[in-house]
């Protein structure tokens, strides 16, 4: 797909808006606990509300799926997927390890994604088949193929259950060293070659996943479910990304076992 400049401009406008709201309101946090036990802040809601208002005005024929306010028009050709604060626990704890995720899916397949870190001003934008950029500068993965030479970013240990723990242990033993609980920023690091593998457990939903796909693929990496399934608007569960297709095969074997 060749992405029209107007669509990319709209995505950047959404990210600009999110950055402003987060930076202006970070010191005025008000947090609630949702029915599933996860936290949500007033900033989460303010960001998603503002982005939905922009999309209603600028792209009224597109669908929207957001973490805080649900789905609209998921059967449409184009659907925007919004996670206003990915890493709300970190955000609420005053830590900078969170991001805003913005994705555009076409026919259920993620084709454009943004990982925005408002506090540092780092914006990683990926377009499938076109490339990946960090603040406008083209970036690529490390391209590594030997797992013994890799750095893996592994999600919060509490996110893995008994079925996934053995695979994580095999991966830890096979890699050079690991970092933990990097959230969406781990995928941005993979896209610019700083880490080589990123792994998440089974607690992900589509709004956690969709923006990551174009970033990783645009940078030359591979990203799938643990079982190798392609990631779509309806994907959930454990995912893994690697710096190259060859490495990805090796990593998936380690995760899923003999």
């Amino acid at each position: 797909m060749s992405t029209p400049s107007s669509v990319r401009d709209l995505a950047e406008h959404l990210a600009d808006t999110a950055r402003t709201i987060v930076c202006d309101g970070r010191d005025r946090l008000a947090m609630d606990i949702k029915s599933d036990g996860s936290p949500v802040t007033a900033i989460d809601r303010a960001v998603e509300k503002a982005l939905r208002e922009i999309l209603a005005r600028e792209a009224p024929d597109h669908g929207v799926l957001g973490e805080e306010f649900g789905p609209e028009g998921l059967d449409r050709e184009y659907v925007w997927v919004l996670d206003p604060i990915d890493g709300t626990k970190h955000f609420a704890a005053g830590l900078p390890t969170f991001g805003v995720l913005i994705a555009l899916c076409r026919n259920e397949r993620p084709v454009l994604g943004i990982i925005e870190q408002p506090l540092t001003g780092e914006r990683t934008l990926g377009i499938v088949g076109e490339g990946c950029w960090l603040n406008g500068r083209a970036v690529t993965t490390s391209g590594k193929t030997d797992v013994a030479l890799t750095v893996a970013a592994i999600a919060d240990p509490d996110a893995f259950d008994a079925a996934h723990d053995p695979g994580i242990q095999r991966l830890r033993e096979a890699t050079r060293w690991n970092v933990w609980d990097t959230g969406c920023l781990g995928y941005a690091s993979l896209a610019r070659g700083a880490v080589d593998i990123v792994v998440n457990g089974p607690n992900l939903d589509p709004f956690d996943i969709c923006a990551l796909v174009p970033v990783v693929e645009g940078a030359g990496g591979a990203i799938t479910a643990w079982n190798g399934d392609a990631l779509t608007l309806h994907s959930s569960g454990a995912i893994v990304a690697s710096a190259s297709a060859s490495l990805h095969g090796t990593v998936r074997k380690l995760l899923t076992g003999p």
Side-chain angles (χ1 to χ4, degrees):
M1 170 187 135
S2 178
T3 304
S5 59
S6 58
V7 172
R8 179 169 175 172
D9 289 346
L10 176 55
E12 297 251 28
H13 177 42
L14 295 173
D16 288 342
T17 301
R19 179 183 294 185
T20 298
I21 294 170
V22 172
C23 290
D24 286 352
R26 186 168 182 251
D27 293 332
R28 300 189 301 277
L29 286 181
M31 185 176 68
D32 297 319
I33 302 299
K34 294 190 284 190
S35 59
D36 63 0
S38 62
V40 59
T41 70
I43 303 300
D44 290 81
R45 296 187 177 109
V47 169
E48 186 170 327
K49 181 175 183 291
L51 301 194
R52 283 177 176 266
E53 288 173 353
I54 292 170
L55 291 171
R57 182 173 64 251
E58 302 294 335
D61 56 333
H62 292 186
V64 183
L65 173 62
E67 180 173 14
E68 305 307 332
F69 298 113
E72 298 176 16
L74 297 192
D75 58 342
R76 297 174 185 173
E77 179 181 5
Y78 290 99
V79 177
W80 293 87
V81 184
L82 310 173
D83 191 344
I85 300 289
D86 184 75
T88 300
K89 290 179 181 178
H90 288 226
F91 176 67
L95 300 171
T97 43
F98 69 90
V100 179
L101 299 181
I102 298 167
L104 177 64
C105 294
R106 184 182 187 189
N107 297 323
E108 302 186 350
R109 172 69 175 158
V111 293
L112 179 152
I114 289 178
I115 302 172
E116 166 76 20
Q117 212 310 319
L119 303 184
T120 63
E122 291 184 321
R123 179 176 302 167
T124 308
L125 184 151
I127 301 175
V128 173
E130 297 187 30
C132 183
W133 300 266
L134 171 60
N135 292 344
R137 174 178 61 87
V139 293
T140 62
T141 70
S142 68
K144 288 181 183 175
T145 58
D146 185 349
V147 71
L149 302 179
T150 61
V151 176
I154 303 172
D156 175 2
D158 290 341
F160 298 101
D161 57 22
H164 295 83
D165 283 340
I168 291 298
Q169 186 59 35
R170 286 190 294 268
L171 181 66
R172 292 180 64 190
E173 293 171 355
T175 54
R176 174 174 279 172
W177 51 277
N178 310 133
V179 293
W180 292 86
D181 206 7
T182 58
C184 63
L185 300 184
Y187 294 88
S189 291
L190 184 143
R192 63 176 183 264
V195 302
D196 312 295
I197 301 162
V198 190
V199 188
N200 274 86
N203 62 331
L204 298 190
D205 292 303
F207 37 77
D208 302 305
I209 293 172
C210 287
L212 311 177
V213 176
V215 167
V216 172
E217 293 186 351
I223 180 169
T224 65
W226 277 33
N227 65 5
D229 285 351
L231 301 173
T232 73
L233 176 63
H234 304 292
S235 293
S236 60
I239 67 171
V240 56
S242 309
S244 68
S246 174
L247 177 63
H248 199 66
T250 302
V251 171
R252 283 195 51 250
K253 288 178 183 177
L254 287 167
L255 292 174
T256 57

